[in-house]
Amino acid sequence: MKNNFVLGTALGVIFPLLAHVATTFTNIQTFLFTHKPIASYVIAATINLIAVRFLYRNEKEATANGVVLATFLAMIVLIVFMREMVFSYA
């Protein structure tokens, strides 16, 4: 695997995109995480951060930085578009 920032960004988008598709087009979210509306996105971010750990250990810093950027941006987008669900304490 090459040490490339763009490749890392592309890899970092995969799991948040899969979480969005699974949440939007299936009923996995309501079946598995009834009272936790953003659980699948948190799992996607956790998978990305585990990947970052392995990338840094294998000296792929640029790729890891791309994954971190994609994960950070995905969580910002999640907070902006799902503000009511994220911050509801009911």
Side-chain angles (χ1 to χ4, degrees), residues 43-54:
I43 292 169
T46 303
I47 291 170
N48 276 355
L49 294 178
I50 290 170
V52 165
R53 180 182 186 282
F54 287 109

Side-chain angles (χ1 to χ4, degrees), residues 19-55:
H20 176 70
V21 168
T23 303
T24 304
F25 298 111
T26 66
N27 60 358
I28 292 173
Q29 181 69 29
T30 56
F31 182 69
L32 293 177
F33 310 110
T34 317
H35 301 290
K36 296 176 179 26
I38 62 167
S40 60
Y41 298 106
V42 172
I43 292 169
T46 303
I47 291 170
N48 276 355
L49 294 178
I50 290 170
V52 165
R53 180 182 186 282
F54 287 109
L55 287 168

Side-chain angles (χ1 to χ4, degrees), residues 36-86:
K36 296 176 179 26
I38 62 167
S40 60
Y41 298 106
V42 172
I43 292 169
T46 303
I47 291 170
N48 276 355
L49 294 178
I50 290 170
V52 165
R53 180 182 186 282
F54 287 109
L55 287 168
Y56 274 126
R57 288 187 71 194
N58 292 324
E59 299 176 356
K60 307 284 187 195
E61 288 85 11
T63 307
N65 290 339
V67 174
V68 168
L69 175 70
T71 304
F72 179 74
L73 291 177
M75 291 302 114
I76 294 294
V77 167
L78 174 73
I79 289 171
V80 168
F81 286 115
M82 303 180 91
R83 182 176 19 225
E84 293 83 22
M85 284 196 300
V86 172

Side-chain angles (χ1 to χ4, degrees), residues 3 5 12 16 18 25 43 52 59 64 73 87-90:
N3 190 16
F5 182 77
L18 284 174
F25 298 111
I43 292 169
V52 165
E59 299 176 356
L73 291 177
F87 294 114
S88 67
Y89 295 106

